[in-house]
Amino acid sequence: MTQGPLTTEAGAPVADNQNSETAGAGGPVLVQDQLLMEKLAHFNRERIPERVVHARGAGAYGTFTLTRDVSQWTRAAFLSEVGKQTETFLRFSTVAGNLGAADAVRDPRGFALKFYTEDGNYDLVGNNTPVFFIRDAIKFPDFIHTQKRDPYTGSQEADNVWDFWGLSPESTHQVTWLFGDRGIPASYRHMDGFGSHTYQWQNAAGEVFWVKYHFKTDQGIKTLTTEEAVRLSGVDPDSHQRDLRESIERGDFPSWTVQVQIMPAADAATYRFNPFDLTKVWPHADYPPVEIGKLELNRNPENIFAEVEQSIFSPAHFVPGIGPSPDKMLQGRLFAYGDAHRYRVGINADHLPVNRPHATEARTNSRDGYLYDGRHKGAKNYEPNSFGGPAETSRPLSGAITVTGVTGNHPTPLHAEDDDFVQAGNLYRLMSEDEKARLVDNLSGFIAKVSRDDIAERAIANFRRADEDFGKRLEAAVQALRA
């Protein structure tokens, strides 16, 4: 069925889209050919700045269904009734690669989930690992610089990566995760997701709880070895994006069982690990996960650029009953994510269909700016006003956080069992012998590439402090490769 004539951006019908206007049959092109000028000018501007991190990604729409009453812990409306469904959009990504990088690489995977709730959008921005490399956002730009291309060589350099990790021992736990079997998921469908950070829930009575989110894949965990990933990256760089799209197209909708760990606020001060340290987990024996829902992806985007590349997420997008914690990495991200999308997509990025609320309406006094669509018409743009404009509720979204002491550049407080190695050692000791062998093989192959012995020795020393056997086996493997 015809859609009518091809037109210019202004709506005028196009007579000839095959030949540009020239001065005579063989003469130069004329500036008056506005179709040519319009097409070339638009083409030059088709891309926006790619994400500095998480540039390579794929996404899909779905639904979250609440399967357990959680009103004793949170007053969030979308978590208020068993069976209630909320539309979602989930973007998966790799961290270090550029927009055109391969999917099947050893890298954490972003797990950014947007809930389109009746109280506005709630963004839960996490990864496929429960921990991270650092615990303070002030180190994040330095960390990412080590993962990206070196300013002189133009390539990722083992020296940079291991120099930073060796000098940042808090990374030992996450690095052990990353170089284990789960470091290269077979697909986005076959991996778990985590909120990673600690968040606050507050119930209707004002009681506060600290929570961690877990998304357990219903497809089962499947991973790739280093050798399998290298082959797949060469044959099909788009493997994970393609797998996600095709599974939804054939009606094989991927799903995750959603769980939360819940800590009463009063427990935090005396818990054996700092509960707000992103390099630590809460052992399940201490706070068993509680199943609360099911997440299913069931609709593909119709346009990757409009809906995946221009999608924005911010951990500062909370709804009533959910809020932040004192996690220093989370606190930094509350600013950084919003700042990134205002620069990258534009000040009115929240107006785009994938980003705007779907179950309610955004009512703000923000006006104008790049690509403002005039949606507010003639409404007053200040508050308070006596012309029927939106007004404040006087009820905070979440509970207050108690603070004490003086301002200063304080390190993250240590709790009774806190150090940078204990949980990495625990993770290593949970592994089978085969898993340990692959972990050592993956790590040694990368460490052996560094050019300085002191960088390699410092890196190995961190793993030795996590577990003596771990360090001993890694040292022998690196020495054999460097010989």
Side-chain angles (χ1 to χ4, degrees), residues 326-370:
D327 177 339
K328 294 181 78 172
M329 269 298 297
L330 173 60
Q331 291 285 320
R333 295 173 85 196
L334 296 178
F335 160 76
Y337 274 61
D339 185 58
H341 79 240
R342 283 185 284 270
Y343 156 72
R344 194 179 64 84
V345 186
I347 194 62
N348 287 307
D350 291 286
H351 291 193
L352 296 172
V354 68
N355 299 322
R356 67 187 179 217
H358 289 190
T360 186
E361 177 187 358
R363 294 177 291 276
T364 78
N365 290 316
S366 298
R367 298 290 191 275
D368 307 337
Y370 185 60

Side-chain angles (χ1 to χ4, degrees), residues 212-358:
K212 283 186 176 289
Y213 295 90
H214 302 253
F215 297 81
K216 311 299 289 185
T217 175
D218 295 327
Q219 291 68 237
I221 295 289
K222 291 185 180 179
T223 62
L224 301 172
T225 65
T226 300
E227 295 74 21
E228 290 170 336
V230 168
R231 287 194 298 271
L232 182 58
S233 294
V235 173
D236 185 8
D238 302 326
S239 58
H240 288 33
Q241 177 174 294
R242 187 187 315 282
D243 174 86
L244 178 65
R245 173 176 52 80
E246 291 180 350
S247 70
I248 294 175
E249 286 176 345
R250 65 176 178 265
D252 182 13
F253 300 143
S255 65
W256 287 259
T257 297
V258 185
Q259 304 172 340
V260 291
Q261 289 179 282
I262 302 169
M263 175 187 292
D267 290 10
T270 57
Y271 184 50
R272 58 193 179 117
F273 301 112
N274 185 329
F276 311 118
D277 182 347
L278 186 55
T279 69
K280 302 289 195 306
V281 297
W282 301 352
H284 290 187
D286 296 348
Y287 296 96
V290 177
E291 183 176 325
I292 67 164
K294 186 73 71 174
L295 173 67
E296 178 187 87
L297 299 182
N298 48 39
R299 180 164 66 91
N300 283 315
E302 294 185 2
N303 184 282
I304 297 298
F305 180 80
E307 298 167 83
V308 179
E309 184 64 11
Q310 290 193 131
S311 64
I312 61 172
F313 300 85
S314 172
H317 290 168
F318 292 114
V319 293
I322 303 178
S325 78
D327 177 339
K328 294 181 78 172
M329 269 298 297
L330 173 60
Q331 291 285 320
R333 295 173 85 196
L334 296 178
F335 160 76
Y337 274 61
D339 185 58
H341 79 240
R342 283 185 284 270
Y343 156 72
R344 194 179 64 84
V345 186
I347 194 62
N348 287 307
D350 291 286
H351 291 193
L352 296 172
V354 68
N355 299 322
R356 67 187 179 217
H358 289 190

Side-chain angles (χ1 to χ4, degrees), residues 370-392:
Y370 185 60
L371 293 183
Y372 175 61
D373 60 7
R375 65 181 53 197
H376 301 90
K377 299 181 179 178
K380 304 299 183 185
N381 62 344
Y382 58 90
E383 194 278 334
N385 73 55
S386 60
F387 292 87
E392 64 189 19

Side-chain angles (χ1 to χ4, degrees), residues 50-312:
E50 71 172 44
R51 292 168 169 88
V52 178
V53 288
H54 297 279
R56 173 66 178 171
Y61 295 92
T63 54
F64 168 75
T65 304
L66 188 71
T67 59
R68 176 178 177 138
D69 180 5
V70 297
S71 59
Q72 62 181 303
W73 300 304
T74 178
R75 60 187 174 92
F78 79 102
L79 300 175
S80 63
E81 182 181 349
V82 171
K84 190 169 189 175
Q85 291 193 332
T86 302
E87 183 187 3
T88 63
F89 181 77
L90 175 57
R91 184 179 186 270
F92 304 99
S93 56
T94 52
V95 173
N98 297 100
L99 186 58
D103 288 337
V105 294
R106 188 173 299 281
D107 202 9
R109 300 302 192 275
F111 196 95
L113 182 59
K114 186 182 299 292
F115 297 87
Y116 299 100
T117 89
E118 61 266 55
D119 283 328
N121 292 347
Y122 171 45
D123 290 352
L124 182 60
V125 184
N127 284 320
N128 71 327
T129 60
V131 293
F132 196 60
F133 300 91
I134 52 177
R135 63 172 64 95
D136 194 316
I138 201 168
K139 297 183 70 169
F140 188 75
D142 300 290
F143 162 61
I144 292 300
H145 288 166
T146 72
Q147 306 298 301
K148 292 288 190 174
R149 299 179 185 275
D150 181 87
Y152 173 67
T153 68
S155 303
Q156 188 192 61
E157 295 296 332
D159 279 7
N160 302 352
V161 174
W162 287 108
D163 190 37
F164 182 86
W165 283 346
L167 293 168
S168 304
E170 70 269 28
S171 68
T172 307
H173 190 190
Q174 170 73 322
V175 174
T176 303
W177 269 89
L178 179 59
F179 284 83
D181 285 353
R182 298 194 184 191
I184 314 180
S187 79
Y188 291 132
R189 297 182 297 125
H190 294 96
M191 68 180 196
D192 291 341
F194 300 88
S196 301
H197 297 286
T198 298
Y199 293 92
Q200 185 200 97
W201 276 6
Q202 184 189 43
N203 65 19
E207 296 173 302
V208 167
F209 303 86
W210 303 118
V211 300
K212 283 186 176 289
Y213 295 90
H214 302 253
F215 297 81
K216 311 299 289 185
T217 175
D218 295 327
Q219 291 68 237
I221 295 289
K222 291 185 180 179
T223 62
L224 301 172
T225 65
T226 300
E227 295 74 21
E228 290 170 336
V230 168
R231 287 194 298 271
L232 182 58
S233 294
V235 173
D236 185 8
D238 302 326
S239 58
H240 288 33
Q241 177 174 294
R242 187 187 315 282
D243 174 86
L244 178 65
R245 173 176 52 80
E246 291 180 350
S247 70
I248 294 175
E249 286 176 345
R250 65 176 178 265
D252 182 13
F253 300 143
S255 65
W256 287 259
T257 297
V258 185
Q259 304 172 340
V260 291
Q261 289 179 282
I262 302 169
M263 175 187 292
D267 290 10
T270 57
Y271 184 50
R272 58 193 179 117
F273 301 112
N274 185 329
F276 311 118
D277 182 347
L278 186 55
T279 69
K280 302 289 195 306
V281 297
W282 301 352
H284 290 187
D286 296 348
Y287 296 96
V290 177
E291 183 176 325
I292 67 164
K294 186 73 71 174
L295 173 67
E296 178 187 87
L297 299 182
N298 48 39
R299 180 164 66 91
N300 283 315
E302 294 185 2
N303 184 282
I304 297 298
F305 180 80
E307 298 167 83
V308 179
E309 184 64 11
Q310 290 193 131
S311 64
I312 61 172

